[in-house]
Every structure is written in structure tokens, then in C-alpha cells.
Amino acid sequence: AVFLWYPDESSQATETVRILVTDTNSTAALNGLQDEEFTFDITVLEPEENTPPDITDIGNQSIDEDTVFSEPLTITDAEDDVSGLDVTVTRQYVDGYDLGGATAEVNYNGANWILTVTPDPDWNGDLRLIITADDSPENGGVGNSASIDFILTVDQVNDPPSFDFIDDGVITVNEENQTTYNLYIEDIDA
């Protein structure tokens, strides 16, 4: 015989189960009916609730090109130590060219998760950054995740033009002779 029972929301912390087995002797009615009763208690445990981590919203941000954006992330989890969470960042180009662009990473420094975004030199535009915290248990159980996103605007900065010097910047000209030199001038913003 198999005993199957599924607790529901009305189940108590301890449920008493009574099983009665009856044997009817059909062979000449010797010994008549025989009953055996077995009673035992089942402890009903509340399922462990795994709530998702919580990430405090950052809001849209802006920085000048050629600077690094660094922001401590406020992440909490009711059941897990935040250092054990799987925290990732994904970047999406919203505006601006995506050749080069920026690197984005999150690292735990022993006290907080830190988001660091490093745009490539002279890159400007808008990045959508998506931060996700996942508390999936290491044993393969079911986890929960939470995400936030915001726009990081990398503002253009007017860089000065530059040019290459010839012969380490020394130019020699003979008197009364015309000399032509090609100058190589570059302006990254032009």
C-alpha cells in the first residue's frame, strides 16, 4: 500500500494521521474481522520563500568623455549574503557609434558591489546599462533575479587640435629660399 498526502494552506504545523487496516477473513470466517490501527504525526514545514534581491534605482547619469563612471550599487537580499549574488551588467548603445564605445563591469569590493564604466578615449553617446542581481542557489535550486536599468550619457568634450612636428620641431630654412612643409593637423572632433 502507498500513502499519499499533500498538505495545503489549511494544514497545521503538525498533522496527525490515522491509518486503519481491516482484514476480513473469508476462509471459514475464522478469527472474523481483524483491525490494526497505526497513528503518526507529520510535521508540516513552511516552504522556504526565496524573494528576489533588491537593487536601488540609480536614475539617469552623465559624465564627460574621457572620464570613468563609478557608482556603488545598493543591493539587498532577505535570504542571502549579497557577496554571493551573481551580479552582471549589460550595455546597449542607444545613441552614438558603437565602434569601440565603453566597457562596463561590476565587482564586489568586500563591502559593496561597484559599477564601473570606462568609455573609450574620445567616445561620446548614450549607453543603456542593465544591472541584474541573481540569487540562484549553488545547489541548482530555483533562484530569483532583479534588474534595473538607466541611461549613461557620455558628453562630448571639445578636444584641442594636434599636429605632428617635423624633425622634432626644428625647421631649418635657407635665407631667400622658399620652403614648403606639409603639416599634419588633426582634430578628433571635426
Side-chain angles (χ1 to χ4, degrees):
V2 175
F3 169 72
L4 292 175
W5 173 74
Y6 298 100
D8 61 20
E9 292 147 7
S10 66
S11 299
Q12 303 298 314
T14 302
E15 293 282 344
T16 300
V17 177
R18 180 178 163 250
I19 298 176
L20 178 66
V21 178
T22 302
D23 178 19
T24 305
N25 188 336
S26 62
T27 310
L30 297 174
N31 298 329
L33 291 174
Q34 298 291 321
D35 292 330
E36 183 67 34
E37 183 177 303
F38 181 65
T39 303
F40 58 95
D41 291 332
I42 296 176
T43 303
V44 179
L45 300 175
E46 291 290 326
E48 284 189 35
E49 291 196 27
N50 184 11
T51 58
D54 183 58
I55 308 171
T56 301
D57 190 34
I58 294 175
N60 294 341
Q61 303 285 318
S62 65
I63 60 171
D64 288 338
E65 71 179 40
D66 301 326
T67 60
V68 174
F69 176 79
S70 183
E71 179 79 18
L73 302 172
T74 303
I75 302 174
T76 58
D77 190 296
E79 296 84 30
D80 298 301
D81 180 3
V82 295
S83 67
L85 298 176
D86 181 21
V87 180
T88 59
V89 60
T90 304
R91 69 191 198 309
Q92 296 175 341
Y93 296 98
V94 176
D95 186 16
Y97 58 93
D98 61 356
L99 301 174
T103 59
E105 62 183 6
V106 287
N107 292 297
Y108 190 72
N109 69 3
N112 293 304
W113 285 95
I114 307 294
L115 168 66
T116 305
V117 181
T118 307
D120 286 350
D122 299 312
W123 187 89
N124 57 75
D126 292 335
L127 289 171
R128 178 177 181 234
L129 297 162
I130 305 162
I131 294 99
T132 303
D134 189 335
D135 67 359
S136 295
E138 291 180 11
N139 62 6
V142 177
N144 287 304
S145 64
S147 294
I148 64 165
D149 67 290
F150 70 97
I151 302 294
L152 176 64
T153 299
V154 180
D155 294 320
Q156 182 177 5
V157 173
N158 188 15
D159 295 304
S162 63
F163 62 95
D164 291 332
F165 286 99
I166 301 168
D167 298 328
D168 296 325
V170 176
I171 299 173
T172 304
V173 179
N174 290 328
E175 188 175 335
E176 297 186 21
N177 288 333
Q178 182 177 356
T179 304
T180 303
Y181 285 97
N182 292 324
L183 300 177
Y184 301 98
I185 301 172
E186 182 179 18
D187 188 347
I188 193 76
D189 301 315

